[in-house]
Amino acid sequence: MVADGVHVLVALAVVFLAFRAERPEPYLVAALAAIFPDIDVYLLPVLVDSGYVHGPVWAHRGMTHSLLGGCVVVLGLSYFGPWRAAAAGFISHIALDFVTGGVYLLAPVTSVRYGVSGGWLLLNMLASVVSVTVILTGSRYLRTEGSLDRSPGDVADAFTDRFG
Ligand SMILES: [Zn+2]
């Protein structure tokens, strides 16, 4: 099990690394896309208990963690921000869940759960530390250096000058 906060941290770090956005929209849609899949923990038991849906793809890590669910989430959030940021947030969630027990990636086409069972506690800690480091160094960079026109080499040089 990956904590919701870890999903958000990883999504924010991925969006920063991929886009280095200064505006809030990419981070907002990435965070929402990263927490949306786990809405099944709260919503699906009600639907299953009411008899509206049944089967393994309607369990936790089912439909909301599938490619179809991802398309719906990214399409919906693209109204509020860049679709690539929403996709990055959703994919980061699925990747973390993939290595901590698996997901029903192709639901509802098949009810096969894809993934491996890794150490979720260690993964939570490592992902949190790496993500917070990226976010803090990135926010410091945006505040002090402040240009998105720099090449990755310029960013590395600025980082080395400041910290190395
Ligand atoms: Zn999940």
Side-chain angles (χ1 to χ4, degrees), residues 22-37:
E22 291 182 334
R23 299 188 49 82
E25 292 88 358
Y27 299 104
L28 176 64
V29 296
L32 290 173
I35 60 173
F36 175 81

Side-chain angles (χ1 to χ4, degrees), residues 3-4 11 16 22-23 38 40 43 48 54 56 58 60 70 73-74 81 90-92 95 102 104 109 113 120 129 140:
D4 288 338
F16 175 77
E22 291 182 334
R23 299 188 49 82
D38 283 346
D40 61 3
L43 182 62
V48 170
H54 59 86
W58 294 102
H60 179 47
V73 169
V74 170
F90 185 83
I91 291 170
S92 71
Y104 294 97
V109 176
R113 191 171 181 148
W120 63 268
V129 168
R140 184 182 173 111

Side-chain angles (χ1 to χ4, degrees), residues 2 4 7 34 37-38 40 60-61 64-65 93-94 97 103:
V2 180
D4 288 338
H7 282 303
D38 283 346
D40 61 3
H60 179 47
R61 297 188 174 193
T64 59
H65 290 66
H93 184 114
I94 300 309
D97 281 359
V103 295

